Structure formats: C-alpha cells, structure tokens
Amino acid sequence: MSQATNYLENKIAGHVFGATAYTAPTTLYVGLYTTAPDDTGAGTEVSGGSYARQSMAFTVTGDTASNTVNVEFPKATGSWGTVAYFAVSDAVSGGNMLCYGTLTTSKTVASGDTLRFNAGELDITVA
C-alpha cells in the first residue's frame, strides 16, 4: 500500500481546483527507508555504504503506477540496516517526498548485498 505525502496532496488540490498549476517532475527517484516515512516526509532514509536513490520510470494503469523496468541499487559497501519502506521523491538528494509505502517483505542489507526491484514489483496506488 502506498500513500501520498501532504506535499503531493496540496499540489494535486491546487492543480485540480485551479489555485496553482503543478508540473510533474521529469525524473522520479525511489529511496529506501529503515523507519516509516509519513505524510510530512519524515522517516529514516538509508545513508552511507554506497547508498543512493535510484531513478525509476512508471507505467500507469487505472489508479496504479508500477515500475517499468528493473531498478537495482548499488552494491552495499556497509550495512544499510533493515529496509522496510520506500519513498518516491522528485530529486536524487533532498527534494520533495511525493509518496511512500511499506515493502511486502523487509530486507536486512549487509555489506556486499544488492537490493533490486524487478519491473512491476513496486506499485503505487492512488486511492
């Protein structure tokens, strides 16, 4: 299950109801989290050990967006902890968190591990 942040909800409301036009980001980035993100964009994102957010393209069918291609994070050069959450942002670093969710299965990432989402594995549903 995924959820939009307050930031994205405000942008959508402003765009739909004519207050302010919103231009979607040209590139979206998925980040990994060890503590749950929330509507305000909080949460503990993985850091160190060669971690970096990865760009991700989506295909939209109905109310669900799914990653279009495989997305692989760099091989961990240190422990990333137990990754249980993800978030989609509009920048490779910092920026605005747009939505977030819980992974079906958490993964403890140790040095030498690689985390990967196969095409179609990461779904974001607008409900």
Side-chain angles (χ1 to χ4, degrees), residues 10 14 18 21 37 49 60 65 69 79 97 117 122 127:
N10 292 337
V60 179
V69 298
S79 173
M97 184 186 294
F117 294 108
L122 190 68

Side-chain angles (χ1 to χ4, degrees), residues 4-28:
T5 61
N6 292 342
Y7 171 83
L8 183 59
E9 290 169 350
N10 292 337
K11 292 296 183 183
I12 292 169
H15 182 78
V16 170
F17 297 104
T20 309
Y22 175 66
T23 302
T26 55
T27 306
L28 297 171

Side-chain angles (χ1 to χ4, degrees), residues 17-64:
F17 297 104
T20 309
Y22 175 66
T23 302
T26 55
T27 306
L28 297 171
Y29 299 89
V30 66
L32 305 174
Y33 287 73
T34 57
T35 64
D38 64 21
D39 285 353
T40 66
T44 305
E45 187 171 5
V46 170
S47 64
S50 296
Y51 169 78
R53 290 179 189 168
Q54 298 299 299
S55 62
M56 184 175 276
F58 290 90
T59 300
V60 179
T61 304
D63 66 353
T64 302

